[in-house]
Amino acid sequence: MKDYEILKNYCKKIFLFGSGNYWYEDGAIGDDSSWYYQLYLWSLIFIYVFMTIFETMAVTIGDYPENETGDAITFSVSHTIVLLKIFSLLINKKLIRTTNRNMVEICEAYEEPTLMAEKYKYIKINVMGYFGIVYCTCLFYVVEGIRKVYAGSHFETVVTYPPSYVDESLFAGLIRVSTTIVLLIMMITMIVAVDTFTMAYLIMFKYKFITLRHYLERLAEDFYKMNDVNPRLAADKLTDGVVEGIIMHKELLRLAKDIDQAFGTVIALQLCLSSGSAVTLLLQIALTPMTFVAILKNILFVVSLFFLLGLFLCNAGEITYQASLLPDALFYCGWHACVWQPPRRSVRRLVLLACAQAQQPLVMKAFKMIQLSYGTFLQVLRGTYSVFALFYAQTK
């Protein structure tokens, strides 16, 4: 499946779940400027915002048991960051539309069906894995809420204020059930419109560099085959091919800046969320008496946070790695075997300039300062554990 189909299907689902139209073709998906769609979009955001405010009120002025206070802190911080990620994409909607067009068009003529099938399979596996972990976590929160009912308490998943902990009225029960439903809907918006959309972009961008490298390798193969028959024609085609490769590489570098501007905030916020929330959740597990189900829900929450962060940082690190392979592919394109050089267009000079540019490391960054790489992921893991160990030691 090509990038056009992948991105269009994504934008259709994003539009369906009320986060706007990010597709660059007018009228192909829907009109997100109509009054009824704007009502739909801002009603969802209004509900998400007010639930987050009520979660924050539960932390600041509510009187709850220790485990529910911990859940309120975790959700208030997590949902605040989720809202910031949603708003960051809404603000950059125009840029994302342009970036969608560029992502589709760059290297499109040289995409290989087998490589595109591999890319689609890779995206699909990652999306399904993340979706499964998130909703498995939500399931354990619901199961824990039901267990509380059988234990003589009330149903609780998302801790908000109102209602208070001692309020057992029907209205309070309806609020608790409603916030659970809102949580499940909010997770769909988060997964489809923000997290997996960003992840798919990084994977597709990585495969753009693989496509360019394969193009350069095929260019060398075609040159060597033709050079024995017609050296002059082989040199002309090699020169044209190298120029085309240089143009595609420059377009990819410009696209990298657009991706950084459009999605860098999402990745940076996820980095903060994964580290901060993980420390809170681990401290809850270590210091607060919990049931087996409550421990599982917290562990799954931590796993989902770091699973997504790993998808972001490792795919961004893979972009850096794939980009670093281009200089070799350019250098071995066959320029040294050219017995004839086109006038005013020396393939040797072109390859020299292209290699010099390709050797500059392409490192994806968040906020233009946080490097997105395998090393950063490992540093976050070690840093999170160090902070947890420090706080845990102080409580002993």
Side-chain angles (χ1 to χ4, degrees), residues 82-107:
V82 168
L83 286 172
L84 290 175
K85 292 197 292 185
I86 293 173
F87 283 127
S88 73
L89 292 191
L90 287 173
I91 292 170
N92 289 302
K93 184 190 294 184
K94 186 176 180 180
L95 174 61
I96 293 174
R97 284 179 174 175
T98 304
T99 308
N100 282 339
R101 179 188 295 274
N102 294 333
M103 180 66 79
V104 168
E105 294 177 352
I106 297 173
C107 301

PDB file of all heavy atoms in Angstrom, residues 82-107:
ATOM      1  N   VAL A  82      -2.137  14.865  26.915  1.00  0.00           N
ATOM      2  CA  VAL A  82      -2.889  14.399  25.735  1.00  0.00           C
ATOM      3  C   VAL A  82      -3.594  15.568  25.055  1.00  0.00           C
ATOM      4  O   VAL A  82      -3.572  15.705  23.826  1.00  0.00           O
ATOM      5  CB  VAL A  82      -3.902  13.311  26.129  1.00  0.00           C
ATOM      6  CG1 VAL A  82      -4.880  13.033  24.971  1.00  0.00           C
ATOM      7  CG2 VAL A  82      -3.182  12.019  26.498  1.00  0.00           C
ATOM      8  N   LEU A  83      -4.207  16.444  25.847  1.00  0.00           N
ATOM      9  CA  LEU A  83      -4.870  17.622  25.283  1.00  0.00           C
ATOM     10  C   LEU A  83      -3.878  18.546  24.588  1.00  0.00           C
ATOM     11  O   LEU A  83      -4.162  19.086  23.510  1.00  0.00           O
ATOM     12  CB  LEU A  83      -5.614  18.382  26.381  1.00  0.00           C
ATOM     13  CG  LEU A  83      -6.901  17.745  26.898  1.00  0.00           C
ATOM     14  CD1 LEU A  83      -7.416  18.499  28.120  1.00  0.00           C
ATOM     15  CD2 LEU A  83      -7.969  17.716  25.812  1.00  0.00           C
ATOM     16  N   LEU A  84      -2.715  18.723  25.194  1.00  0.00           N
ATOM     17  CA  LEU A  84      -1.684  19.564  24.562  1.00  0.00           C
ATOM     18  C   LEU A  84      -1.249  18.964  23.227  1.00  0.00           C
ATOM     19  O   LEU A  84      -1.007  19.703  22.255  1.00  0.00           O
ATOM     20  CB  LEU A  84      -0.488  19.721  25.495  1.00  0.00           C
ATOM     21  CG  LEU A  84      -0.714  20.562  26.751  1.00  0.00           C
ATOM     22  CD1 LEU A  84       0.522  20.518  27.651  1.00  0.00           C
ATOM     23  CD2 LEU A  84      -1.045  22.008  26.385  1.00  0.00           C
ATOM     24  N   LYS A  85      -1.141  17.646  23.148  1.00  0.00           N
ATOM     25  CA  LYS A  85      -0.767  16.998  21.893  1.00  0.00           C
ATOM     26  C   LYS A  85      -1.856  17.192  20.833  1.00  0.00           C
ATOM     27  O   LYS A  85      -1.549  17.458  19.662  1.00  0.00           O
ATOM     28  CB  LYS A  85      -0.509  15.506  22.123  1.00  0.00           C
ATOM     29  CG  LYS A  85       0.724  15.216  22.965  1.00  0.00           C
ATOM     30  CD  LYS A  85       1.194  13.788  22.848  1.00  0.00           C
ATOM     31  CE  LYS A  85       0.239  12.811  23.466  1.00  0.00           C
ATOM     32  NZ  LYS A  85       0.769  11.434  23.451  1.00  0.00           N
ATOM     33  N   ILE A  86      -3.107  17.074  21.248  1.00  0.00           N
ATOM     34  CA  ILE A  86      -4.214  17.289  20.303  1.00  0.00           C
ATOM     35  C   ILE A  86      -4.205  18.723  19.784  1.00  0.00           C
ATOM     36  O   ILE A  86      -4.332  18.966  18.578  1.00  0.00           O
ATOM     37  CB  ILE A  86      -5.565  16.964  20.976  1.00  0.00           C
ATOM     38  CG1 ILE A  86      -5.669  15.464  21.276  1.00  0.00           C
ATOM     39  CG2 ILE A  86      -6.733  17.395  20.085  1.00  0.00           C
ATOM     40  CD1 ILE A  86      -6.884  15.082  22.093  1.00  0.00           C
ATOM     41  N   PHE A  87      -4.027  19.684  20.703  1.00  0.00           N
ATOM     42  CA  PHE A  87      -4.006  21.093  20.302  1.00  0.00           C
ATOM     43  C   PHE A  87      -2.809  21.400  19.395  1.00  0.00           C
ATOM     44  O   PHE A  87      -2.910  22.216  18.474  1.00  0.00           O
ATOM     45  CB  PHE A  87      -3.974  22.002  21.529  1.00  0.00           C
ATOM     46  CG  PHE A  87      -5.291  22.137  22.226  1.00  0.00           C
ATOM     47  CD1 PHE A  87      -5.403  21.891  23.590  1.00  0.00           C
ATOM     48  CD2 PHE A  87      -6.434  22.491  21.535  1.00  0.00           C
ATOM     49  CE1 PHE A  87      -6.622  22.010  24.234  1.00  0.00           C
ATOM     50  CE2 PHE A  87      -7.659  22.609  22.162  1.00  0.00           C
ATOM     51  CZ  PHE A  87      -7.757  22.362  23.525  1.00  0.00           C
ATOM     52  N   SER A  88      -1.670  20.746  19.636  1.00  0.00           N
ATOM     53  CA  SER A  88      -0.490  21.008  18.805  1.00  0.00           C
ATOM     54  C   SER A  88      -0.732  20.597  17.356  1.00  0.00           C
ATOM     55  O   SER A  88      -0.279  21.274  16.427  1.00  0.00           O
ATOM     56  CB  SER A  88       0.728  20.278  19.371  1.00  0.00           C
ATOM     57  OG  SER A  88       0.642  18.883  19.145  1.00  0.00           O
ATOM     58  N   LEU A  89      -1.468  19.501  17.149  1.00  0.00           N
ATOM     59  CA  LEU A  89      -1.779  19.088  15.778  1.00  0.00           C
ATOM     60  C   LEU A  89      -2.841  19.995  15.157  1.00  0.00           C
ATOM     61  O   LEU A  89      -2.780  20.302  13.961  1.00  0.00           O
ATOM     62  CB  LEU A  89      -2.244  17.636  15.753  1.00  0.00           C
ATOM     63  CG  LEU A  89      -1.190  16.578  16.092  1.00  0.00           C
ATOM     64  CD1 LEU A  89      -1.716  15.181  15.774  1.00  0.00           C
ATOM     65  CD2 LEU A  89       0.104  16.803  15.331  1.00  0.00           C
ATOM     66  N   LEU A  90      -3.818  20.416  15.948  1.00  0.00           N
ATOM     67  CA  LEU A  90      -4.831  21.333  15.421  1.00  0.00           C
ATOM     68  C   LEU A  90      -4.199  22.652  14.981  1.00  0.00           C
ATOM     69  O   LEU A  90      -4.567  23.214  13.939  1.00  0.00           O
ATOM     70  CB  LEU A  90      -5.907  21.594  16.478  1.00  0.00           C
ATOM     71  CG  LEU A  90      -6.892  20.453  16.765  1.00  0.00           C
ATOM     72  CD1 LEU A  90      -7.775  20.803  17.949  1.00  0.00           C
ATOM     73  CD2 LEU A  90      -7.751  20.153  15.533  1.00  0.00           C
ATOM     74  N   ILE A  91      -3.242  23.138  15.750  1.00  0.00           N
ATOM     75  CA  ILE A  91      -2.564  24.396  15.401  1.00  0.00           C
ATOM     76  C   ILE A  91      -1.771  24.243  14.105  1.00  0.00           C
ATOM     77  O   ILE A  91      -1.696  25.173  13.297  1.00  0.00           O
ATOM     78  CB  ILE A  91      -1.646  24.842  16.565  1.00  0.00           C
ATOM     79  CG1 ILE A  91      -2.497  25.256  17.777  1.00  0.00           C
ATOM     80  CG2 ILE A  91      -0.732  25.984  16.144  1.00  0.00           C
ATOM     81  CD1 ILE A  91      -1.690  25.479  19.035  1.00  0.00           C
ATOM     82  N   ASN A  92      -1.193  23.060  13.899  1.00  0.00           N
ATOM     83  CA  ASN A  92      -0.349  22.822  12.718  1.00  0.00           C
ATOM     84  C   ASN A  92      -1.106  22.133  11.583  1.00  0.00           C
ATOM     85  O   ASN A  92      -0.479  21.501  10.733  1.00  0.00           O
ATOM     86  CB  ASN A  92       0.860  21.963  13.114  1.00  0.00           C
ATOM     87  CG  ASN A  92       1.852  22.715  13.965  1.00  0.00           C
ATOM     88  OD1 ASN A  92       2.376  23.752  13.569  1.00  0.00           O
ATOM     89  ND2 ASN A  92       2.113  22.206  15.160  1.00  0.00           N
ATOM     90  N   LYS A  93      -2.425  22.264  11.560  1.00  0.00           N
ATOM     91  CA  LYS A  93      -3.224  21.551  10.555  1.00  0.00           C
ATOM     92  C   LYS A  93      -2.827  21.928   9.126  1.00  0.00           C
ATOM     93  O   LYS A  93      -2.668  21.062   8.251  1.00  0.00           O
ATOM     94  CB  LYS A  93      -4.709  21.848  10.765  1.00  0.00           C
ATOM     95  CG  LYS A  93      -5.619  21.066   9.802  1.00  0.00           C
ATOM     96  CD  LYS A  93      -7.054  21.549   9.870  1.00  0.00           C
ATOM     97  CE  LYS A  93      -7.671  21.250  11.196  1.00  0.00           C
ATOM     98  NZ  LYS A  93      -9.104  21.620  11.243  1.00  0.00           N
ATOM     99  N   LYS A  94      -2.632  23.208   8.874  1.00  0.00           N
ATOM    100  CA  LYS A  94      -2.266  23.652   7.526  1.00  0.00           C
ATOM    101  C   LYS A  94      -0.918  23.071   7.105  1.00  0.00           C
ATOM    102  O   LYS A  94      -0.754  22.602   5.968  1.00  0.00           O
ATOM    103  CB  LYS A  94      -2.233  25.178   7.475  1.00  0.00           C
ATOM    104  CG  LYS A  94      -1.994  25.748   6.083  1.00  0.00           C
ATOM    105  CD  LYS A  94      -2.064  27.274   6.107  1.00  0.00           C
ATOM    106  CE  LYS A  94      -1.825  27.841   4.704  1.00  0.00           C
ATOM    107  NZ  LYS A  94      -1.887  29.339   4.712  1.00  0.00           N
ATOM    108  N   LEU A  95       0.047  23.079   8.020  1.00  0.00           N
ATOM    109  CA  LEU A  95       1.365  22.514   7.724  1.00  0.00           C
ATOM    110  C   LEU A  95       1.271  21.015   7.481  1.00  0.00           C
ATOM    111  O   LEU A  95       1.930  20.482   6.576  1.00  0.00           O
ATOM    112  CB  LEU A  95       2.313  22.804   8.886  1.00  0.00           C
ATOM    113  CG  LEU A  95       3.705  22.154   8.805  1.00  0.00           C
ATOM    114  CD1 LEU A  95       4.460  22.644   7.576  1.00  0.00           C
ATOM    115  CD2 LEU A  95       4.497  22.424  10.071  1.00  0.00           C
ATOM    116  N   ILE A  96       0.461  20.312   8.268  1.00  0.00           N
ATOM    117  CA  ILE A  96       0.331  18.860   8.107  1.00  0.00           C
ATOM    118  C   ILE A  96      -0.288  18.521   6.759  1.00  0.00           C
ATOM    119  O   ILE A  96       0.106  17.543   6.111  1.00  0.00           O
ATOM    120  CB  ILE A  96      -0.495  18.270   9.268  1.00  0.00           C
ATOM    121  CG1 ILE A  96       0.281  18.423  10.579  1.00  0.00           C
ATOM    122  CG2 ILE A  96      -0.813  16.802   9.018  1.00  0.00           C
ATOM    123  CD1 ILE A  96      -0.504  18.013  11.811  1.00  0.00           C
ATOM    124  N   ARG A  97      -1.233  19.331   6.305  1.00  0.00           N
ATOM    125  CA  ARG A  97      -1.808  19.097   4.974  1.00  0.00           C
ATOM    126  C   ARG A  97      -0.743  19.199   3.888  1.00  0.00           C
ATOM    127  O   ARG A  97      -0.661  18.351   2.985  1.00  0.00           O
ATOM    128  CB  ARG A  97      -2.927  20.113   4.711  1.00  0.00           C
ATOM    129  CG  ARG A  97      -4.227  19.814   5.447  1.00  0.00           C
ATOM    130  CD  ARG A  97      -5.271  20.881   5.159  1.00  0.00           C
ATOM    131  NE  ARG A  97      -6.563  20.549   5.730  1.00  0.00           N
ATOM    132  CZ  ARG A  97      -7.611  21.350   5.713  1.00  0.00           C
ATOM    133  NH1 ARG A  97      -7.511  22.557   5.154  1.00  0.00           N
ATOM    134  NH2 ARG A  97      -8.762  20.969   6.251  1.00  0.00           N
ATOM    135  N   THR A  98       0.079  20.233   3.972  1.00  0.00           N
ATOM    136  CA  THR A  98       1.170  20.383   3.007  1.00  0.00           C
ATOM    137  C   THR A  98       2.158  19.232   3.121  1.00  0.00           C
ATOM    138  O   THR A  98       2.644  18.704   2.118  1.00  0.00           O
ATOM    139  CB  THR A  98       1.885  21.726   3.231  1.00  0.00           C
ATOM    140  OG1 THR A  98       0.938  22.792   3.147  1.00  0.00           O
ATOM    141  CG2 THR A  98       2.976  21.939   2.193  1.00  0.00           C
ATOM    142  N   THR A  99       2.458  18.839   4.352  1.00  0.00           N
ATOM    143  CA  THR A  99       3.393  17.746   4.573  1.00  0.00           C
ATOM    144  C   THR A  99       2.841  16.430   4.042  1.00  0.00           C
ATOM    145  O   THR A  99       3.594  15.594   3.525  1.00  0.00           O
ATOM    146  CB  THR A  99       3.710  17.614   6.081  1.00  0.00           C
ATOM    147  OG1 THR A  99       4.113  18.894   6.591  1.00  0.00           O
ATOM    148  CG2 THR A  99       4.832  16.630   6.319  1.00  0.00           C
ATOM    149  N   ASN A 100       1.531  16.227   4.155  1.00  0.00           N
ATOM    150  CA  ASN A 100       0.906  15.032   3.578  1.00  0.00           C
ATOM    151  C   ASN A 100       1.142  14.967   2.069  1.00  0.00           C
ATOM    152  O   ASN A 100       1.478  13.907   1.526  1.00  0.00           O
ATOM    153  CB  ASN A 100      -0.600  15.035   3.856  1.00  0.00           C
ATOM    154  CG  ASN A 100      -0.926  14.612   5.272  1.00  0.00           C
ATOM    155  OD1 ASN A 100      -0.131  13.956   5.933  1.00  0.00           O
ATOM    156  ND2 ASN A 100      -2.106  14.980   5.741  1.00  0.00           N
ATOM    157  N   ARG A 101       0.966  16.095   1.397  1.00  0.00           N
ATOM    158  CA  ARG A 101       1.199  16.134  -0.050  1.00  0.00           C
ATOM    159  C   ARG A 101       2.655  15.796  -0.376  1.00  0.00           C
ATOM    160  O   ARG A 101       2.930  14.983  -1.268  1.00  0.00           O
ATOM    161  CB  ARG A 101       0.846  17.516  -0.606  1.00  0.00           C
ATOM    162  CG  ARG A 101       1.075  17.648  -2.117  1.00  0.00           C
ATOM    163  CD  ARG A 101       0.899  19.091  -2.561  1.00  0.00           C
ATOM    164  NE  ARG A 101      -0.459  19.540  -2.386  1.00  0.00           N
ATOM    165  CZ  ARG A 101      -1.436  19.355  -3.298  1.00  0.00           C
ATOM    166  NH1 ARG A 101      -1.166  18.718  -4.425  1.00  0.00           N
ATOM    167  NH2 ARG A 101      -2.647  19.806  -3.057  1.00  0.00           N
ATOM    168  N   ASN A 102       3.580  16.402   0.344  1.00  0.00           N
ATOM    169  CA  ASN A 102       4.997  16.142   0.092  1.00  0.00           C
ATOM    170  C   ASN A 102       5.370  14.692   0.401  1.00  0.00           C
ATOM    171  O   ASN A 102       6.162  14.081  -0.325  1.00  0.00           O
ATOM    172  CB  ASN A 102       5.862  17.093   0.925  1.00  0.00           C
ATOM    173  CG  ASN A 102       5.713  18.540   0.500  1.00  0.00           C
ATOM    174  OD1 ASN A 102       5.395  18.820  -0.660  1.00  0.00           O
ATOM    175  ND2 ASN A 102       5.933  19.468   1.411  1.00  0.00           N
ATOM    176  N   MET A 103       4.817  14.150   1.479  1.00  0.00           N
ATOM    177  CA  MET A 103       5.103  12.761   1.831  1.00  0.00           C
ATOM    178  C   MET A 103       4.629  11.810   0.740  1.00  0.00           C
ATOM    179  O   MET A 103       5.285  10.805   0.440  1.00  0.00           O
ATOM    180  CB  MET A 103       4.426  12.420   3.164  1.00  0.00           C
ATOM    181  CG  MET A 103       4.648  10.993   3.625  1.00  0.00           C
ATOM    182  SD  MET A 103       6.370  10.630   4.045  1.00  0.00           S
ATOM    183  CE  MET A 103       6.472  11.352   5.678  1.00  0.00           C
ATOM    184  N   VAL A 104       3.514  12.129   0.127  1.00  0.00           N
ATOM    185  CA  VAL A 104       2.981  11.286  -0.948  1.00  0.00           C
ATOM    186  C   VAL A 104       3.820  11.400  -2.215  1.00  0.00           C
ATOM    187  O   VAL A 104       4.146  10.397  -2.870  1.00  0.00           O
ATOM    188  CB  VAL A 104       1.515  11.662  -1.241  1.00  0.00           C
ATOM    189  CG1 VAL A 104       1.036  11.014  -2.541  1.00  0.00           C
ATOM    190  CG2 VAL A 104       0.616  11.244  -0.086  1.00  0.00           C
ATOM    191  N   GLU A 105       4.217  12.618  -2.573  1.00  0.00           N
ATOM    192  CA  GLU A 105       4.820  12.856  -3.888  1.00  0.00           C
ATOM    193  C   GLU A 105       6.318  12.556  -3.951  1.00  0.00           C
ATOM    194  O   GLU A 105       6.817  12.120  -4.987  1.00  0.00           O
ATOM    195  CB  GLU A 105       4.561  14.308  -4.304  1.00  0.00           C
ATOM    196  CG  GLU A 105       3.082  14.599  -4.554  1.00  0.00           C
ATOM    197  CD  GLU A 105       2.818  16.050  -4.906  1.00  0.00           C
ATOM    198  OE1 GLU A 105       3.776  16.861  -4.800  1.00  0.00           O
ATOM    199  OE2 GLU A 105       1.674  16.383  -5.272  1.00  0.00           O
ATOM    200  N   ILE A 106       7.057  12.780  -2.849  1.00  0.00           N
ATOM    201  CA  ILE A 106       8.506  12.564  -2.881  1.00  0.00           C
ATOM    202  C   ILE A 106       8.813  11.074  -3.016  1.00  0.00           C
ATOM    203  O   ILE A 106       8.289  10.258  -2.253  1.00  0.00           O
ATOM    204  CB  ILE A 106       9.170  13.147  -1.623  1.00  0.00           C
ATOM    205  CG1 ILE A 106       8.978  14.665  -1.555  1.00  0.00           C
ATOM    206  CG2 ILE A 106      10.659  12.822  -1.589  1.00  0.00           C
ATOM    207  CD1 ILE A 106       9.459  15.303  -0.269  1.00  0.00           C
ATOM    208  N   CYS A 107       9.629  10.727  -3.995  1.00  0.00           N
ATOM    209  CA  CYS A 107      10.059   9.336  -4.266  1.00  0.00           C
ATOM    210  C   CYS A 107       8.923   8.436  -4.737  1.00  0.00           C
ATOM    211  O   CYS A 107       9.112   7.218  -4.853  1.00  0.00           O
ATOM    212  CB  CYS A 107      10.717   8.692  -3.050  1.00  0.00           C
ATOM    213  SG  CYS A 107      12.184   9.549  -2.422  1.00  0.00           S
TER     214      CYS A 107
END
